């Protein structure tokens, strides 16, 4: 099968277009990684032609020998659907999880996303917790970023404030959302901090930069990112009207919701204000 005919490739490309249309990928902002299933690799094998090994810049032994579909460094999300082969690539990891080689794509040269260490470290953490996790997505959602200038950079505060903005939020991200203070992006260090948050959450915010989401498939991961950003948009509107809410969802109401929807909401987010 041709790479471009594979369903996982079509789903990946659709997600880059959807993210662009949402406004989360100005210029070359954002990146996306999918951990490809064995049978999906097998199906497109005829088109995979391995290049030279290169350093990842991180060590991810639990992902050794696996294949990933990734966006390219410096590539624009809005261009992916027009010319996938030039803007995304399939990479393979070596048997130590320390090097990668490009097997398809990046037709005009280039390398995988600058955030490859973060993406792979996050996928490694998630795979160990639940092998069904396959997608890591990074974008620059306007309202989430705006809130990082206003709210204390604490997991408890961001989670609780976003949960209050829409009843569906605690159901969609019951484990909460992690926040990382400003750091230099593009390397191993920020990847380490992000993957610590990913041990506990499926969402991690980079202050004054953007957000990461992890999930089992493209729909769940995009939906998760979208839900958090929508809640942030409501919060920005509320805070633009007034610093004080007249009414909101209360801790006991979250507990009732948790029972009705059979989700566990950690008590650390249900503090009295
Ligand atoms: O330019 O978003 O974090 C891609 C990025 C880096
Ligand atoms: Zn970014």
């Amino acid at each position: 099968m041709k790479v471009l005919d594979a369903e996982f490739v079509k789903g990946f490309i659709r997600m880059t277009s959807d993210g662009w249309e949402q406004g989360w990928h100005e210029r070359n902002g954002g990146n996306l990684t999918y951990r490809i299933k064995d049978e999906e690799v097998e199906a497109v094998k005829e088109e995979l032609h391995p290049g030279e090994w290169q350093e990842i810049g991180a060590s991810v032994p639990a992902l050794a020998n696996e294949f990933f579909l990734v966006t390219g460094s410096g590539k624009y999300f809005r261009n992916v659907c027009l010319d996938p082969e030039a803007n995304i690539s399939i990479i393979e990891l070596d048997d130590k999880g320390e090097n990668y080689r490009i097997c398809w794509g990046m037709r005009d040269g280039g390398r995988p996303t600058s955030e490859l260490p973060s993406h792979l470290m996050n996928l490694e953490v998630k795979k160990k917790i639940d092998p069904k996790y396959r997608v890591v997505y990074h974008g620059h959602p306007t309202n989430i970023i705006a809130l990082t200038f206003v709210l204390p950079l604490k997991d408890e505060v961001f989670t609780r404030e976003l949960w209050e903005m829409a009843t569906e939020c605690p159901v969609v991200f019951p484990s909460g959302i992690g926040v990382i203070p400003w750091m230099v992006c593009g390397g191993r260090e920020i990847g380490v901090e992000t993957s610590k948050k990913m041990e506990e959450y499926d969402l991690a915010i980079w202050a004054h930069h953007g957000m990461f989401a992890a999930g089992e498939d493209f729909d769940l991961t995009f939906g998760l990112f979208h839900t958090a950003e929508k809640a942030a948009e409501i919060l920005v509107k509320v805070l633009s009207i007034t610093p004080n809410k007249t009414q909101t969802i209360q801790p006991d109401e979250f507990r009732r919701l948790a029972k009705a929807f059979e989700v566990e909401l950690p008590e650390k987010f249900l503090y009295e204000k």
Side-chain angles (χ1 to χ4, degrees):
M1 188 195 289
K2 295 264 181 229
V3 168
L4 291 176
D5 291 333
E7 285 305 316
F8 73 93
V9 179
K10 291 184 196 167
F12 184 100
I13 294 169
R14 179 175 171 224
M15 186 150 158
T16 59
S17 299
D18 287 351
W20 157 250
E21 280 167 25
Q22 289 295 330
W24 303 333
H25 303 285
E26 74 288 342
R27 203 172 182 276
N28 61 320
N31 18 76
L32 176 63
T33 304
Y34 172 69
R35 184 165 62 85
I36 310 173
K37 296 175 185 165
D38 291 345
E39 63 269 26
E40 291 169 332
V41 174
E42 200 55 40
V44 299
K45 225 166 99 189
E46 69 195 56
E47 279 210 310
L48 302 184
H49 305 291
E52 297 295 314
W53 289 112
Q54 328 235 13
E55 279 179 16
I56 294 168
S59 176
V60 286
L63 302 179
N65 300 313
E66 292 211 57
F67 288 75
F68 301 82
L69 182 57
V70 297
T71 48
S73 177
K75 303 297 183 188
Y76 292 27
F77 266 44
R78 65 186 281 259
N79 290 338
V80 171
C81 66
L82 299 177
D83 192 357
E85 215 168 334
N87 291 290
I88 63 178
S89 68
I90 291 177
I91 60 168
E92 177 187 15
L93 300 199
D94 69 359
D95 57 5
K96 291 198 179 68
E98 289 179 0
N99 298 286
Y100 72 86
R101 56 185 180 184
I102 293 173
C103 299
W104 175 91
M106 295 279 104
R107 187 194 59 229
D108 308 326
R111 26 182 215 94
T113 165
S114 57
E115 304 294 357
L116 190 65
S118 280
H119 281 253
L120 293 180
M121 280 188 266
N122 291 344
L123 282 167
E124 184 181 45
V125 163
K126 286 303 186 190
K127 184 188 172 188
K128 285 181 187 167
I129 297 168
D130 182 351
K132 290 210 289 270
Y133 275 79
R134 295 195 169 272
V135 183
V136 165
Y137 177 44
H138 168 64
H140 299 166
T142 311
N143 295 283
I144 288 278
I145 296 169
L147 290 175
T148 67
F149 295 91
V150 178
L151 296 182
L153 300 176
K154 290 195 160 65
D155 304 358
E156 287 79 2
V157 175
F158 268 79
T159 300
R160 175 64 176 277
E161 293 303 316
L162 293 180
W163 278 3
E164 284 186 30
M165 291 304 109
T167 299
E168 67 164 340
C169 286
V171 179
V172 175
F173 47 101
S175 55
I177 180 162
V179 188
I180 292 163
W182 185 88
M183 289 179 74
V184 175
C185 57
R188 188 180 167 277
E189 254 171 70
I190 197 166
V192 169
E193 293 310 311
T194 313
S195 48
K196 278 187 207 157
K197 295 294 183 189
M198 285 292 178
E199 304 250 1
E200 190 174 347
Y201 313 115
D202 288 340
L203 287 165
I205 293 170
W206 286 1
H208 324 321
H209 181 142
M211 183 161 69
F212 267 79
E216 292 178 20
D217 59 32
F218 299 121
D219 277 351
L220 286 167
T221 312
F222 190 85
L224 177 63
F225 196 103
H226 199 183
T227 304
E229 168 59 3
K230 174 72 182 280
E233 183 180 351
I234 301 170
L235 185 54
V236 166
K237 289 185 195 296
V238 170
L239 293 172
S240 308
I241 302 167
T242 170
N244 303 305
K245 299 165 206 154
T246 307
Q247 56 271 322
T248 186
I249 308 172
Q250 299 297 330
D252 266 343
E253 293 173 325
F254 282 121
R255 293 185 187 101
R256 279 167 51 204
L257 188 73
K259 233 185 216 165
F261 282 84
E262 295 177 2
V263 291
E264 244 181 77
L265 300 181
E267 279 293 319
K268 69 171 177 175
F269 301 127
L270 301 179
Y271 50 85
E272 292 300 326
K273 289 189 191 170

